[in-house]
Amino acid sequence: VELVESGGGLVQPGGSLRLSCVVSGSIDSLTYAGWYRQRPGKQHELVAAHTRSGIIHYADSVKGRFTISRDIANNTLYLQMNSLRPEDTAVYFCMDLAKINSDYQPRQSWGQGTRVTVSS
């Protein structure tokens, strides 16, 4: 399965962006899907995960600000990001996930992602 991200850009603190991830084939074939990010000088971190059954997980750092959703009709995974902060600056990756011992893990290698810069 191929996942292609888009929607990144430059936004001021407090602003919003919506990231999109188009899935080749059917998004419903993904049991778990989510968004990771890699901030400058940091390792990849899971931001949000969405299971096919509708269970959603958020990293503590984005709870209340980010919303992950699936659009089955358009085979698209979204990440709505509100109240953005400079520390949200990162490259964001859409990933097919596996769940191993209660932890989500990416099932594919990292692509190019989409860059989000939060700066005034």
Side-chain angles (χ1 to χ4, degrees), residues 3 6 17 21 26 28 39 49 59 73-74 77 81 98 106-108 116-117:
L3 292 80
S6 64
L17 277 177
C21 171
S26 171
D28 208 35
R39 293 185 279 186
N74 291 300
L77 186 73
M81 306 186 295
R107 295 186 60 186
Q108 63 207 107
V116 173
T117 302

Side-chain angles (χ1 to χ4, degrees), residues 91-110:
V91 180
Y92 286 73
F93 302 87
C94 174
M95 303 296 282
D96 179 15
L97 304 175
K99 194 171 185 183
I100 302 171
N101 296 328
S102 301
D103 289 331
Y104 292 106
Q105 300 289 338
R107 295 186 60 186
Q108 63 207 107
S109 55
W110 304 105

Side-chain angles (χ1 to χ4, degrees), residues 47-60:
V47 174
H50 192 298
T51 75
R52 189 166 55 197
S53 61
I55 297 171
I56 293 175
H57 163 85
Y58 293 104
D60 288 343

Side-chain angles (χ1 to χ4, degrees), residues 19-70:
L19 305 184
S20 300
C21 171
V22 177
V23 180
S24 65
S26 171
I27 191 173
D28 208 35
S29 68
L30 304 182
T31 303
Y32 309 106
W35 291 90
Y36 277 79
R37 69 183 179 188
Q38 185 176 30
R39 293 185 279 186
K42 304 289 187 181
Q43 293 186 336
H44 292 90
E45 59 176 334
L46 181 66
V47 174
H50 192 298
T51 75
R52 189 166 55 197
S53 61
I55 297 171
I56 293 175
H57 163 85
Y58 293 104
D60 288 343
S61 57
V62 307
K63 280 181 183 175
R65 302 188 297 122
F66 290 13
T67 302
I68 187 172
S69 61
R70 288 194 187 205

